[in-house]
């Protein structure tokens, strides 16, 4: 039986010109997961980071805002207009992931979804044409 929906699994990602970073979480992403992701991103990406964020409520939470204020030495945040998902290159990563890697996949449970979805993202990362895909995600968002 199919007893699940996409709201059971949440994804958070960062996209650079060369690579992308992601985490999957059961249920909704909350402030601790956002902060944990940013901390992991800081460990993985040397130097300064420009973070483009949409107007999602989690991005504006008091806890996340307070954390961001302590990270200005490496992190600069620019907010995208509210409800402008077409300007966010990560949205194109998610669309590609769902349409090409997870098309026609009907998981039996959250564990199976999480496992297969994570494996699909890892496959995308290993592709020889990953740089072209990432460039396409930015181009679709019209950010260059």
């Amino acid at each position: 039986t199919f007893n699940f929906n996409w709201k059971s699994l949440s994804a958070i990602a960062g996209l650079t010109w060369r690579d992308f970073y992601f985490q999957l979480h059961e249920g909704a992403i909350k402030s601790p997961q956002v902060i944990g992701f940013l901390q992991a991103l800081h460990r993985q990406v040397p130097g300064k980071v420009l973070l483009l964020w949409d107007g999602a409520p989690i991005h504006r939470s008091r806890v996340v805002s307070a954390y961001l204020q302590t990270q200005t030495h490496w992190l600069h945040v620019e907010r995208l207009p509210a409800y402008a998902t077409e300007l966010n290159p990560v949205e194109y990563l998610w669309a590609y992931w769902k349409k090409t890697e997870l098309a026609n996949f009907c998981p039996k449970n959250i564990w199976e979804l999480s496992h297969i979805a994570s494996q699909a993202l890892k496959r995308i990362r290993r592709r020889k044409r990953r740089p072209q895909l990432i460039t396409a995600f930015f181009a679709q968002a019209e950010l260059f």
Side-chain angles (χ1 to χ4, degrees):
T1 5
F2 182 79
N3 58 2
F4 124 98
N5 65 48
W6 273 102
K7 294 192 187 290
S8 301
L9 183 72
S10 297
I12 186 170
L15 188 64
T16 68
W17 287 108
R18 292 199 171 98
D19 210 348
F20 64 89
Y21 308 87
F22 68 91
Q23 290 179 351
L24 302 177
H25 296 278
E26 189 171 343
I29 292 175
K30 302 206 182 316
S31 296
Q33 287 89 11
V34 171
I35 292 168
F37 179 77
L38 292 173
Q39 290 169 335
L41 189 64
H42 186 42
R43 288 189 299 274
Q44 300 265 334
V45 179
K48 296 189 181 247
V49 170
L50 170 63
L51 180 64
L52 301 175
W53 256 356
D54 59 25
I58 191 63
H59 298 158
R60 296 179 277 121
S61 80
R62 277 184 265 153
V63 174
V64 171
S65 295
Y67 174 76
L68 293 176
Q69 289 175 2
T70 68
Q71 302 303 308
T72 57
H73 59 284
W74 71 276
L75 185 63
H76 178 77
V77 179
E78 287 292 331
R79 303 232 181 245
L80 296 171
Y83 307 108
T85 55
E86 72 279 0
L87 297 176
N88 188 344
V90 171
E91 294 296 334
Y92 296 99
L93 167 63
W94 297 143
Y96 179 84
W97 177 52
K98 289 178 183 178
K99 289 178 185 172
T100 62
E101 297 292 328
L102 299 176
N104 301 315
F105 173 58
C106 293
K108 294 180 185 93
N109 54 46
I110 189 70
W111 182 90
E112 184 181 21
L113 172 66
S114 180
H115 177 72
I116 297 300
S118 180
Q119 294 303 312
L121 284 165
K122 288 175 184 174
R123 267 194 314 277
I124 295 169
R125 261 184 141 182
R126 289 190 303 266
R127 292 215 170 111
K128 287 182 183 177
R129 63 185 201 117
R130 181 188 69 221
Q132 293 89 347
L133 280 172
I134 291 172
T135 300
F137 301 150
F138 278 99
Q140 287 178 295
E142 298 180 5
L143 288 177
F144 40 154

